[in-house]
Amino acid sequence: MTNRIAPSASVYALVQNDMKHQRLLNNVGMMTLISREIENTILKDGVKARVFSSFQRISSFLPQRKRYEQMAARAESVYVFAHFDMTPPPIVNVNFIPVDPESQFAKEWFVVTDAPNFFTALVTEEVDSPDDPRAQRMFRGLWSFDEEMVTIIQDWLSSIVQIQMPAHADQRSASDYRAQIAIMSNVISRLTGELVSLK
C-alpha cells in the first residue's frame, strides 16, 4: 500500500469545529486508558470493527504489538498510522500507513472504530512535543460516540488508505443501536473501574 498523506491532512481538523462544548485536555495516562478501552471493545466485547489508530513512531507502536496482534485477529481490519523510524513488524490484518514526521498526522493521537454494532472516535492533537517527558505530554481533542462524526472520520480515513466505506454505515438497525448502548455501558464501567483503582 503506497499512500501519500498530505502534510497538512488532519483528523483533528475534521472535528475541531464541533468541539466548542466538548473539548477535553488530557495527559498520556488518560489517553492510554481511553485508547485501551476503545480497543477492549474488540478484545472483550467481540466487536468486529474497522480500526484506525495513530502512533507517532513505529518504535512507539512496538510495546503494543502483542495487543494489536490479538485485535487484528478479531477486527475487520486495522490501520496504523506512524512515522517509520524503523521497519514495521509484519502482522496479519494490520496495515501500516507511513506518516511524515513533520506532518500534522505526526502530532495527532486518534483511535477510531466503526462496526455495525459499535462506533466511537478519540481524536486529539498534541499540545507539546513528542520529545517532552512522557508524563508531561498533553493532548486536546475529544472522545465521541456521535454516529455522524464517526462516519465522517471513518469515511475520510478509508479514502486515505484507499478502501471502501463499509456498507453498514447507513444501514444500522434498532438492534445495532441497542448493542451500541450496551457496549458503551461496558466501556464506561471498565474505565470507571480503572480510574477508581488508580486512586
Side-chain angles (χ1 to χ4, degrees), residues 153-164:
I153 296 166
Q154 197 275 136
D155 188 26
W156 187 69
L157 288 169
S158 292
S159 71
I160 286 178
V161 299
Q162 301 171 359
I163 57 174
Q164 292 293 317

Side-chain angles (χ1 to χ4, degrees), residues 28-188:
V28 171
M30 181 55 88
M31 296 289 293
T32 301
L33 282 176
I34 294 171
S35 297
R36 289 182 72 80
E37 279 314 317
I38 294 172
E39 295 162 1
N40 280 341
T41 64
I42 295 163
L43 296 171
K44 296 184 177 183
D45 298 315
V47 173
K48 192 168 180 62
R50 179 177 292 179
V51 181
F52 297 97
S53 65
S54 64
F55 289 82
Q56 288 166 320
R57 305 176 179 104
I58 292 294
S59 55
S60 299
F61 168 83
L62 289 182
Q64 303 300 318
R65 177 179 179 165
K66 188 172 191 91
R67 184 171 178 82
Y68 269 73
E69 286 173 348
Q70 294 168 345
M71 281 175 49
R74 298 176 172 121
E76 178 221 275
S77 52
V78 179
Y79 295 85
V80 173
F81 296 80
H83 167 55
F84 287 17
D85 62 336
M86 57 192 307
T87 303
I91 303 174
V92 174
N93 206 27
V94 174
N95 304 280
F96 291 94
I97 312 301
V99 169
D100 186 309
E102 304 303 316
S103 71
Q104 178 62 31
F105 256 61
K107 299 173 187 163
E108 297 181 351
W109 180 325
F110 58 84
V111 182
V112 179
T113 62
D114 191 24
N117 59 342
F118 186 71
F119 43 88
T120 190
L122 172 67
V123 178
T124 67
E125 175 184 61
E126 185 151 21
V127 175
D128 306 303
S129 163
D131 297 320
D132 286 347
R134 182 175 170 83
Q136 294 175 14
R137 292 168 60 197
M138 297 294 289
F139 295 80
R140 65 176 163 239
L142 63 81
W143 178 19
S144 178
F145 295 94
D146 180 83
E147 181 181 14
E148 183 179 1
M149 182 179 292
V150 174
T151 299
I152 289 168
I153 296 166
Q154 197 275 136
D155 188 26
W156 187 69
L157 288 169
S158 292
S159 71
I160 286 178
V161 299
Q162 301 171 359
I163 57 174
Q164 292 293 317
M165 179 78 169
H168 68 254
D170 55 0
Q171 299 174 356
R172 288 191 171 99
S173 67
S175 63
D176 291 333
Y177 291 112
R178 283 193 293 275
Q180 167 80 2
I181 292 166
I183 296 166
M184 281 173 60
S185 177
N186 292 347
V187 168
I188 300 304

